[in-house]
């Protein structure tokens, strides 16, 4: 997984992104070995977080090596969890999977960032960024394809 995160972090540098929000289920599995779609990843150059609810805490701790857990809930929805990570990381350009993130979720993220005074945290759609990494077979024997 660390090789995959390193490749992703290289793409963040190339795209001039401070962080990336990953929501596409196949990308969650590829990057974090998370086998469900009830999660998101927040990746920066320094940290990698997995955001999910209470049902998956034990599984995340067991399977998702290299990721810090941030619990989301009705009291702390995804957009508030992302806001706290943006604030902690100082991210000003946050990439997101525009091909997967719903418009409603995008609006909630945008509203959360604006309400907190983080209008400078610009949301940048980067469709299929992780898929570009998945398409490349590594020397480690990755056999993941770019199929969706």
């Amino acid at each position: 997984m660390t090789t995959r995160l390193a490749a992703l972090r290289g793409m963040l540098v190339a795209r001039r992104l401070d962080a990336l929000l990953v929501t596409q289920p196949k990308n969650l599995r590829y990057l974090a070995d998370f086998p469900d779609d009830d999660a998101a990843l927040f990746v920066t150059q320094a940290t990698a977080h997995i955001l999910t609810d209470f049902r998956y805490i034990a599984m995340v701790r067991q399977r998702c090596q290299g990721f810090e857990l941030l619990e989301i809930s009705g009291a702390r929805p995804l957009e508030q969890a992302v806001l706290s990570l943006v604030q902690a990381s100082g991210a000003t350009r946050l990439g997101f999977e525009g091909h997967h993130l719903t418009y409603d979720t995008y609006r909630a993220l945008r509203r959360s960032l604006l309400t907190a005074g983080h209008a400078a945290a610009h949301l940048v759609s980067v469709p299929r960024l992780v898929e570009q990494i998945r398409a490349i077979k590594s020397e480690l024997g990755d056999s993941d394809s770019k199929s969706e």
Side-chain angles (χ1 to χ4, degrees), residues 16-93:
R16 292 176 290 180
L17 297 171
D18 300 310
L20 178 67
L21 182 65
V22 178
T23 55
Q24 208 281 344
K26 287 185 180 182
N27 295 338
L28 296 174
R29 183 181 308 269
Y30 178 75
L31 292 169
D33 194 26
F34 189 83
D36 207 299
D37 61 355
D38 289 331
L41 304 178
F42 184 92
V43 179
T44 68
Q45 290 299 323
T47 64
H49 288 81
I50 186 162
L51 295 72
T52 192
D53 66 43
F54 70 94
R55 297 172 296 168
Y56 301 103
I57 291 174
M59 184 187 63
V60 166
R61 289 185 176 140
Q62 187 176 44
R63 292 182 68 159
C64 304
Q65 302 301 312
F67 287 85
E68 295 179 47
L69 173 65
L70 184 59
E71 187 177 345
I72 56 176
S73 65
R76 180 196 249 178
L78 177 67
E79 63 271 12
Q80 288 183 1
V82 170
L83 172 62
S84 71
L85 292 170
V86 165
Q87 290 171 327
S89 68
T92 58
R93 287 179 49 87

Side-chain angles (χ1 to χ4, degrees), residues 8 11-12 14-17 19-22 27 93-100 123-132:
L8 178 60
M11 298 284 270
L12 295 181
R15 297 282 182 108
R16 292 176 290 180
L17 297 171
L20 178 67
L21 182 65
V22 178
N27 295 338
R93 287 179 49 87
L94 172 60
F96 68 95
E97 294 179 303
H99 65 291
H100 184 265
L123 290 168
V124 180
S125 177
V126 288
R128 307 202 192 306
L129 185 67
V130 177
E131 286 82 347
Q132 292 173 34

